[in-house]
Amino acid sequence: MNYWLFKSEPSVFSFEALKAKGKAGTQWDGVRNYAARNNMKAMQIGDLGFFYHSNEGLNIVGIAEVCALAHPDTTSDDPRWECVDIRAVRDVPTPPTLEQVKANPKLADMALVRLGRLSVQPVTPAEWKEVCRMGGLTPAP
C-alpha cells in the first residue's frame, strides 16, 4: 500500500463534501500539474491519503481511499489529464496543522513541507505513521 496527500480548499471542495459523496466517492479532477497527475497514475485501489484543507484551515482533516484507478479527467478535453476516484474513510480526531507538521523534525522531508504547492503528494510510511499519531489515530489505519 502507498500513501498520499490530497489538497483542496475547503470552500471549493471540503472533506465534508467528500463524505457526502458516500461509498462511491468522486473523481479527484481538475489537477493540471504533471507531477500531481503522475502521482495519481501511480496510485492503486486501496491506497490511503490524507485530505488536507489548504488556504483555509491549513490542516489534515481526514483520510481518503483510492477507489478507482487513473482514468481520463472528465473536466478536460485534453487526454493527457487523468485523475483517480477517492472516497472518505474517516475524520482525523485532532487535525494536525501545517505549523505543527513543519515543527516536527520527523516530517522535515515531507512533501507538504518541501513542495507546498503540489496538490497531490506522496507520503512515506514513516510520515503516515507520524501524522496519524499527531492526529490521534493510533494505531495508524
Side-chain angles (χ1 to χ4, degrees):
M1 175 183 304
N2 294 307
Y3 300 105
W4 309 95
L5 183 139
F6 300 91
K7 292 174 71 174
S8 181
E9 294 179 31
S11 62
V12 175
F13 190 78
S14 67
F15 190 63
E16 291 300 317
L18 181 62
K19 290 193 302 187
K21 297 290 184 177
K23 188 171 181 157
T26 191
Q27 67 177 7
W28 194 253
D29 58 29
V31 174
R32 301 296 181 264
N33 173 285
Y34 287 107
R37 182 213 51 196
N38 291 343
N39 286 335
M40 287 192 288
K41 288 174 80 170
M43 293 178 184
Q44 298 297 314
I45 291 175
D47 281 359
L48 296 176
F50 291 124
F51 195 104
Y52 176 81
H53 279 168
S54 62
N55 291 340
E56 309 154 37
L58 300 177
N59 53 3
I60 296 169
V61 297
I63 294 179
E65 177 184 33
V66 176
C67 57
L69 297 176
H71 56 83
D73 183 333
T74 62
T75 66
S76 175
D77 293 330
D78 186 335
R80 292 177 296 176
W81 298 115
E82 297 183 39
C83 63
V84 295
D85 291 8
I86 64 171
R87 63 177 158 232
V89 173
R90 68 170 300 170
D91 293 293
V92 172
T94 309
T97 65
L98 178 60
E99 185 176 303
Q100 291 169 325
V101 169
K102 286 183 173 182
N104 186 327
K106 292 181 180 179
L107 302 174
D109 293 328
M110 189 173 183
L112 183 61
V113 173
R114 294 181 303 102
L115 307 168
R117 297 189 60 104
L118 188 59
S119 63
V120 180
Q121 309 172 352
V123 175
T124 69
E127 292 165 347
W128 182 265
K129 184 176 178 182
E130 180 62 12
V131 171
C132 284
R133 184 199 62 75
M134 291 171 67
L137 295 169
T138 311

